[in-house]
Amino acid sequence: MPLSSLPAAILSHMIAIENVSPPPVRSIPSLKMPKNINYGQLNVLCHLRGKHVHWSSHRMSTTHNAFMAQYPKIFQHKKPRLPKIPKQEEQREPSKETGVSQQQLDDSHNIAVHVKKARGGPTLYGQKDSTEMFPEFLDIVRKLPVERTTHEHNIVWKMLKTIPDLTAQLNDKHLRILSKNVISETWIKGSTVDGNDGFYIILKGQVRPRIKVLRNLFEESEFTTSLPSHSSFIFDKDFENSALSVLYIPSPNLVLGQLSTFGSLEVTPEKELEIQSVVTEDNCEILKIPAKEYAKLKLEKIKCEKTQKLKLIHKCPYYKEWPTLSIYELIPLLKWKKFPPGHVIVQSGNIISFVAYIHSGYCNIYRSIIGLVKLQTNKVKKVRKLVCMGTLKENESFGEISVLLQVPFLCTVISGTEVEMAIIEDQDIFVT
């Protein structure tokens, strides 16, 4: 008798299952025993709990105390490791062959030395002073400014910072800007270098300043005896129409050498210069900072300052609607002024002598108020106190009404921090 379809399907499935191989045996992962557990003490603790079958109050307390005493012992604590005491080695003198100084030996464990070596920068012992940097500086200033790298510009700036006559006239920021445009000039022996169109620094060779000498044309004998035989001189333009001749001769006593300076950063008449011009004694290299470059720098500074003052006034609440042309009339009258913290800028009851625009910092405003204080004798006494009414912050102004109407200011203004403000004095307002 033939089987139905369902039993046949079940039979074929059972046969297929018997032919399938069983799955592979997988090993149970091994358990990692914690290292901070003392299993011997843990076993003692487990057996301690099952010692007593019949419990009483006394036995329960005894077992409890024993359990609590045993419990901390199952945890293993790492023993603290104390640092090793370094052994003092005998100091040995540095060998002459190696040339290592004692300072280098002392700083052998200084991390700053190794960090600078890893970054490729100069080490503490590789920093060059100005005398070691001078040959490199001389090679750099012979190049055009556009050919110099950032590192070379920094070397020029650092060398110029070592010249006192230059740092006395320029701040660090302006000196860095001018150092990017300086260039060395070569002058042959016997050349005359005028000092009224720039600031000059002698890099190589020697020069003699020229001095001005007046002589009467008719006293020929005295004229010839007073001049040295080897001196070169130049006559004034009005020589033919004057009874006196103006001579510029090299000074026999004064010689300017390396890193000496002459000239001026500003274009000045020759009469106002201490050293008007010099004559080269041999072939010289002279670094020139043109007065025109300094004039451009000053002009740029003035423009930046005007823009800063314009923005300051425009940001003040009472001047936001003012036209720009009206604010430009105030800019020439503004002067920068700083006040230290706690300085009384305005005293109440006085007429302010200036209008102020706060650029940085803040001021506290105080009002003098009379209050009543009750005494122990049931009497009342009047006491005057300063009460803080608010603050004046950046981009705020004060003093306009007091100055224009000449009325006393009703509050006391005291600087809370160091305050920098632009002020217009009352005399400048009334003159305009």
Side-chain angles (χ1 to χ4, degrees), residues 47-67:
H47 286 81
L48 181 67
R49 295 178 60 186
K51 276 185 177 182
H52 306 283
V53 180
H54 303 286
W55 294 94
S56 63
S57 60
H58 176 69
R59 288 181 178 179
M60 287 179 63
S61 62
T62 304
T63 305
H64 175 74
N65 293 336
F67 179 85

Side-chain angles (χ1 to χ4, degrees), residues 22-30:
V25 180
R26 296 183 180 181
S27 60
I28 300 174
S30 58

Side-chain angles (χ1 to χ4, degrees), residues 306-364:
K306 284 184 178 179
T307 305
Q308 189 178 20
K309 291 177 179 178
L310 178 65
K311 290 181 179 179
L312 174 61
I313 298 178
H314 247 316
K315 289 180 180 180
C316 292
Y318 300 113
Y319 298 86
K320 288 183 178 180
E321 304 299 329
W322 273 42
T324 305
L325 291 176
S326 300
I327 296 179
Y328 267 120
E329 295 181 3
L330 299 178
I331 289 177
L333 307 178
L334 289 172
K335 300 175 183 176
W336 293 109
K337 197 167 185 180
K338 287 185 178 181
F339 296 95
H343 183 80
V344 180
I345 301 174
V346 180
Q347 185 71 41
S348 63
N350 297 335
I351 299 175
I352 304 178
S353 61
F354 57 85
V355 178
Y357 306 89
I358 300 177
H359 179 252
S360 63
Y362 70 92
C363 300
N364 295 319

Side-chain angles (χ1 to χ4, degrees), residues 21-290:
S21 60
V25 180
R26 296 183 180 181
S27 60
I28 300 174
S30 58
L31 298 177
K32 294 183 179 180
M33 308 299 286
K35 296 181 179 180
N36 59 340
I37 299 296
N38 189 339
Y39 289 94
Q41 297 294 336
L42 180 61
N43 190 27
V44 173
L45 184 66
C46 294
H47 286 81
L48 181 67
R49 295 178 60 186
K51 276 185 177 182
H52 306 283
V53 180
H54 303 286
W55 294 94
S56 63
S57 60
H58 176 69
R59 288 181 178 179
M60 287 179 63
S61 62
T62 304
T63 305
H64 175 74
N65 293 336
F67 179 85
M68 297 304 296
Q70 181 66 23
Y71 181 76
K73 297 180 181 180
I74 68 175
F75 300 102
Q76 294 181 353
H77 301 283
K78 293 183 179 180
K79 295 181 180 180
R81 296 181 62 184
L82 298 177
K84 294 182 180 180
I85 301 175
K87 296 181 179 180
Q88 294 183 353
E89 298 181 358
E90 297 181 358
Q91 295 182 353
R92 293 180 293 179
E93 296 182 357
S95 175
K96 295 183 180 180
E97 297 178 357
T98 57
V100 180
S101 63
Q102 183 64 34
Q103 180 65 27
Q104 290 175 330
L105 291 175
D106 294 340
D107 290 341
S108 60
H109 297 287
N110 191 346
I111 190 63
V113 178
H114 302 286
V115 169
K116 289 188 176 183
K117 284 182 179 179
R119 293 180 178 177
T123 62
L124 296 179
Y125 314 110
Q127 294 177 350
K128 300 178 181 179
D129 56 9
S130 57
T131 55
E132 294 177 352
M133 290 172 58
F134 188 78
E136 185 180 3
F137 165 73
L138 200 58
D139 293 334
I140 294 171
V141 294
R142 289 170 183 165
K143 300 180 183 179
L144 292 174
V146 294
E147 298 176 354
R148 300 173 194 164
T149 63
T150 305
H151 175 66
E152 291 174 340
H153 281 303
N154 288 333
I155 292 177
V156 175
W157 168 59
K158 289 177 181 178
M159 280 299 301
L160 294 181
K161 284 175 65 176
T162 61
I163 300 173
D165 293 339
L166 196 57
T167 54
Q169 304 179 61
L170 296 171
N171 58 30
D172 194 58
K173 180 181 177 181
H174 293 165
L175 183 60
R176 181 185 281 272
I177 295 173
L178 289 178
S179 66
K180 296 180 180 180
N181 298 318
V182 296
I183 192 169
S184 173
E185 297 179 350
T186 303
W187 296 81
I188 62 173
K189 182 178 180 180
S191 301
T192 302
V193 185
D194 293 326
N196 65 332
D197 62 341
F199 188 84
Y200 293 87
I201 305 169
I202 302 170
L203 303 178
K204 193 176 180 182
Q206 292 183 338
V207 300
R208 286 186 183 272
R210 294 197 307 165
I211 58 176
K212 185 177 180 179
V213 180
L214 295 176
R215 287 293 182 267
N216 194 329
L217 293 178
F218 302 104
E219 297 176 357
E220 188 174 352
S221 58
E222 295 182 7
F223 168 75
T224 53
T225 55
S226 60
L227 290 177
S229 58
H230 62 278
S231 298
S232 61
F233 53 87
I234 300 173
F235 289 98
D236 192 58
K237 294 179 181 178
D238 300 330
F239 170 76
E240 297 179 355
N241 303 325
S242 176
L244 294 175
S245 64
V246 180
L247 297 165
Y248 296 95
I249 62 174
S251 171
N253 301 323
L254 181 60
V255 178
L256 300 179
Q258 192 179 71
L259 296 182
S260 298
T261 61
F262 65 93
S264 175
L265 286 171
E266 299 182 359
V267 179
T268 17
E270 290 189 359
K271 296 179 181 180
E272 298 180 7
L273 289 175
E274 184 179 354
I275 300 177
Q276 300 175 6
S277 58
V278 297
V279 178
T280 56
E281 289 287 300
D282 42 26
N283 296 338
C284 297
E285 289 188 32
I286 302 177
L287 185 70
K288 179 182 179 181
I289 302 177

